[in-house]
Amino acid sequence: MHRRLVFEDPVSRAAVWSRRLAWFALVVLLLSLLLVRLREPSIEGLAPVAGAYVFVLLALGLALVAFVRIWREGHRGVGMAAGALLLCLVLLAPAGYVGFLLATRPALADISTDIDDPPAFSRSMAALTARAGRIPPDVAPARRRLQRQAYPKIAPIVLEEPAEAAFALARKAVTALGWQVVDVARPGGRSGAGRIDAVARGRLLRFSEDITIRVKPRVDGSRIDIRSASRLGSHDLGANARRIAAFAEEIDLLQER
């Protein structure tokens, strides 16, 4: 009785290492994001995240090499290479979305519903302490006009309620959105305007953004203006505009209740 030997094609080493490297990249990326959340936010602090994506790209390249070798030489390992490729694409999706926002959104980091007379940030001790002594700088009129072109729906909130009622609505909206109130001035005084200063933090990286809300009385009610400014970088990826839109939507919801 003769025993027949069966020779199997070798497994592609590129496929094996692409899978290993893809999972290693996932671990490095998760650890780097955790590190960014725990440290003081800074542009330089994003370096570990960028480093993690180097491993993602290497794993992606190995997966593509594995597919080529499997096709040409008949090696095994299609499943490993496909799994690595899928994982790399999932990890690259957030970076791709950020790239899309960089390409489609203007390089703005300070958005206001009033581009002619933006609300001023409080300079009280409590507000300065919460902002680590930072006062968002004034934005040139040309940059404000760029905002109008990019976000035409960002506009003042005009209410029929008196300033006191509008101020109460704004305060409730800030609380509902989870922003940290750092300074408050009720409507009245020489200008008649009220003010709420707050700090909002991102859900993932916990970057802090500064917000000031101005409530002014009008003959037929009141007007609310809000300004949101990023602390880091010159491009907010549209975050400040989205934050202002969320505030306006919350005001609408509170009025309907």
Side-chain angles (χ1 to χ4, degrees):
M1 187 173 180
H2 297 284
R3 184 178 296 176
R4 188 171 62 182
L5 298 178
V6 178
F7 295 95
E8 293 185 347
D9 292 323
V11 178
S12 169
R13 294 184 62 186
V16 174
W17 280 101
S18 67
R19 184 176 64 175
R20 292 176 180 175
L21 197 56
W23 284 107
F24 178 73
L26 173 61
V27 174
V28 172
L29 182 60
L30 293 176
L31 290 177
S32 63
L33 290 174
L34 178 61
L35 183 63
V36 171
R37 285 177 61 90
L38 294 177
R39 296 172 60 181
E40 188 69 24
S42 66
I43 297 298
E44 294 78 11
L46 293 175
V49 178
Y53 273 106
V54 171
F55 291 111
V56 175
L57 293 175
L58 287 174
L60 178 64
L62 279 175
L64 295 176
V65 169
F67 280 122
V68 172
R69 290 185 175 178
I70 290 170
W71 174 264
R72 290 181 176 177
E73 303 172 15
H75 289 177
R76 292 183 296 122
V78 173
M80 286 185 286
L85 178 64
L86 179 60
L87 180 56
C88 288
L89 292 178
V90 170
L91 295 179
L92 285 171
Y97 179 63
V98 170
F100 170 77
L101 293 177
L102 283 170
T104 59
R105 299 291 188 273
L108 298 172
D110 188 322
I111 303 295
S112 173
T113 56
D114 188 344
I115 65 173
D116 297 317
D117 182 24
F121 284 90
S122 172
R123 295 173 180 262
S124 70
M125 184 61 68
L128 289 173
T129 300
R131 296 197 300 264
R134 179 181 181 274
I135 300 174
D138 294 332
V139 178
R143 304 294 294 174
R144 290 292 184 200
R145 287 192 292 272
L146 181 61
Q147 173 203 312
R148 177 176 287 170
Q149 298 172 5
Y151 307 112
K153 294 184 179 180
I154 297 296
I157 303 170
V158 179
L159 304 177
E160 295 180 355
E161 288 86 351
E164 281 288 347
F167 180 85
L169 278 175
R171 186 76 184 265
K172 290 179 181 179
V174 168
T175 301
L177 292 169
W179 301 345
Q180 176 192 355
V181 177
V182 298
D183 193 26
V184 171
R186 304 189 70 85
R190 183 178 302 175
S191 66
R195 186 191 67 253
I196 302 172
D197 275 61
V199 175
R201 291 180 176 84
R203 294 181 180 179
L204 180 60
L205 299 180
R206 304 296 293 171
F207 282 6
S208 298
E209 318 291 346
D210 297 313
I211 300 164
T212 185
I213 300 167
R214 182 179 63 204
V215 181
K216 295 178 67 174
R218 288 164 47 102
V219 175
D220 55 350
S222 56
R223 166 175 165 160
I224 301 176
D225 282 294
I226 175 172
R227 178 182 173 188
S228 180
S230 301
R231 294 188 185 180
L232 300 175
S234 59
H235 202 309
D236 65 3
L237 305 177
N240 289 305
R242 291 193 296 271
R243 189 171 295 112
I244 291 175
F247 175 78
E249 291 175 4
E250 191 63 35
I251 291 291
D252 289 339
L253 289 175
L254 290 171
Q255 284 188 295
E256 292 174 0
R257 293 175 185 174

